[in-house]
Amino acid sequence: MDSILSLFHQAATQNANQPAVIFKEQVLTYAQLENISDRLAAYLIERGLGLGQVAAILLEQSLYIPALILAVLKSGAAYLPLDGDYPNERLSFMLSDSQASYLLYENEGLLDPLNYSGPKLSLSAMLNEPIPSKPLPPQGGSEESLAIILYTSGSTGRPKGIKIPRRALNYYVNIYQQLTELKAQSRVSSYASFSFDAHVLEIYPPLCTGATLYFVPQEIRLNFPQLSQFIEDKQISHAFMTTQAAFRFVKRFDSRSLRLLITGGEKLPPFKPDKHYRLLNLYGPTETLCSVSGFFVDKYYDNIPIGYPHPGNRFYILDQQQRPLPEGQWGELYIASPQIMLGYIKRH
């Protein structure tokens, strides 16, 4: 199965002059995104970032988020996405718990309250550096190498750091592209917070396909009339929204441009699907990276199911002794998946 770096390189080569990322009035073409991510990767490698290390990324909404996460992966390292809106205590805990080797940032004001003594690298400074004279070295690591660290909400106790391998990322992006029928002509919105696992399904699949990614301005995320107008103005064909946002949107707004609305994260309440676009309800814990099953809601259901496992994933309903149960019996859901995490940080 092709890696996301290989898929992105193919997409960038075939769509070099096409817009890859758009944020408000700013645009990066595929050629520019490839070039900038290569330059940033070379810069990070020269400063010692590589296989087995973690780069924490603390950015507000930015055109350069895709370039920076691609750069970290090209360096062979993994990244930890951080949301500047999180409490300082939580951010400091994640930086310490993950043992981040570097902190990559843009807004210096977000750094002051954080208890982080490691090296800090400014995105602006990195972008203004001269182009490295040395070619980008081959990226090390195997499919079991660490790619991303994602933290649970901590609603049931201390947040747990989930170690996502490149295997899971590569597999999921390939499956998601097929599931959503993305094409180079697609226009995809990015709605979720960067620190949420949904950034994986919003950013990587379109950029590995040659599609155009539009960042939804933060100030209109919860203003549904403006969000609907944004989707129409930009002719968005594929959009993701968290469950409650998607439910509110689908109850009130139609769209001529939208082909597929994707949602997940909570149980979806019943509704009547009578819009021009389809709705895909995804299910999956963060431990399996975004989703392991999906269900196209094509009619009214009193209880909308979590759907069928994605290709390569298997579900088992087991009792307390981990024995298979007959159809119709209640039990625990066990998931077998190529997207399974490597484990929790500092936990066995």
Side-chain angles (χ1 to χ4, degrees):
M1 185 166 287
D2 291 333
S3 72
I4 63 105
L5 293 180
S6 173
L7 289 171
F8 171 69
H9 178 69
Q10 293 173 33
T13 301
Q14 295 167 4
N15 304 276
N17 297 320
Q18 299 303 312
V21 186
I22 297 178
F23 178 48
K24 296 183 177 179
E25 304 306 316
Q26 299 175 296
V27 180
L28 285 179
T29 66
Y30 270 93
Q32 291 170 325
L33 182 56
E34 176 88 294
N35 177 264
I36 291 171
S37 61
D38 280 349
R39 286 175 54 193
L40 291 173
Y43 180 94
L44 294 171
I45 290 168
E46 285 185 351
R47 277 146 188 81
L49 188 69
L51 186 65
Q53 294 182 308
V54 176
I57 300 177
L58 179 60
L59 289 186
E60 296 169 307
Q61 200 173 36
S62 168
L63 182 75
Y64 294 100
I65 284 176
L68 197 49
I69 61 178
L70 286 168
V72 172
L73 293 177
K74 287 180 177 183
S75 77
Y79 67 90
L80 165 65
L82 299 175
D83 188 334
D85 290 333
Y86 281 169
N88 295 328
E89 182 180 0
R90 177 178 169 89
L91 292 174
S92 296
F93 167 76
M94 292 163 70
L95 284 166
S96 172
D97 189 62
S98 66
Q99 299 180 320
S101 307
Y102 291 86
L103 176 56
L104 314 181
Y105 71 95
E106 177 62 6
N107 183 350
E108 195 164 350
L110 296 175
L111 301 181
D112 295 338
L114 300 183
N115 182 25
Y116 180 76
S117 58
K120 308 175 186 70
L121 300 175
S122 160
L123 175 61
S124 297
M126 289 190 282
L127 290 172
N128 290 326
E129 280 287 315
I131 298 174
S133 56
K134 298 178 183 178
L136 187 68
Q139 292 80 48
S142 66
E143 288 224 317
E144 295 305 308
S145 299
L146 187 62
I148 312 172
I149 293 178
L150 297 168
Y151 274 81
T152 61
S153 64
S155 57
T156 58
R158 176 173 286 191
K160 293 183 288 188
I162 296 168
K163 299 188 289 187
I164 303 295
R166 293 183 182 234
R167 156 188 38 89
L169 181 58
N170 295 339
Y171 193 89
Y172 187 70
V173 170
N174 279 269
I175 291 301
Y176 188 85
Q177 284 177 314
Q178 299 170 30
L179 184 67
T180 57
E181 299 181 343
L182 281 169
K183 300 178 175 62
Q185 296 76 29
S186 301
R187 296 185 173 199
V188 183
S189 63
S190 177
Y191 175 91
S193 164
F194 172 52
S195 63
F196 186 36
D197 59 3
H199 85 269
V200 169
L201 64 84
E202 288 188 322
I203 293 177
Y204 290 106
L207 295 182
C208 289
T209 307
T212 302
L213 180 67
Y214 289 80
F215 279 104
V216 177
Q218 189 166 356
E219 60 269 21
I220 72 168
R221 282 178 180 169
L222 297 179
N223 186 319
F224 290 97
Q226 290 187 28
L227 179 60
S228 177
Q229 191 61 53
F230 176 88
I231 288 172
E232 288 302 301
D233 289 347
K234 307 304 181 185
Q235 290 293 286
I236 301 298
S237 60
H238 294 67
F240 170 85
M241 297 178 196
T242 52
T243 303
Q244 291 304 316
F247 180 68
R248 290 175 62 186
F249 186 87
V250 81
K251 293 282 284 185
R252 294 179 56 192
F253 299 100
D254 206 344
S255 171
R256 295 288 176 176
S257 68
L258 199 59
R259 295 289 173 265
L260 181 62
L261 178 60
I262 303 126
T263 190
E266 299 177 72
K267 183 173 177 56
L268 185 63
F271 72 100
K272 182 180 179 181
D274 56 357
K275 309 301 181 184
H276 285 87
Y277 51 86
R278 304 176 74 195
L279 181 71
L280 174 60
N281 186 39
L282 296 177
Y283 165 79
T286 303
E287 286 83 350
T288 57
L289 188 59
C290 298
S291 70
V292 286
S293 71
F295 187 79
F296 286 97
V297 185
D298 55 355
K299 63 180 181 180
Y300 180 87
Y301 293 89
D302 289 326
N303 188 21
I304 297 175
I306 64 172
Y308 300 98
H310 298 332
N313 291 268
R314 297 188 304 278
F315 288 173
Y316 301 93
I317 308 298
L318 307 180
D319 64 14
Q320 293 183 344
Q321 285 72 47
Q322 298 185 348
R323 296 173 301 193
L325 287 167
E327 185 175 346
Q329 293 293 309
W330 290 84
E332 294 287 339
L333 176 64
Y334 283 70
I335 300 169
S337 172
Q339 301 161 208
I340 289 288
M341 65 176 182
L342 294 170
Y344 296 110
I345 291 176
K346 298 179 182 176
R347 302 191 186 201
H348 299 290

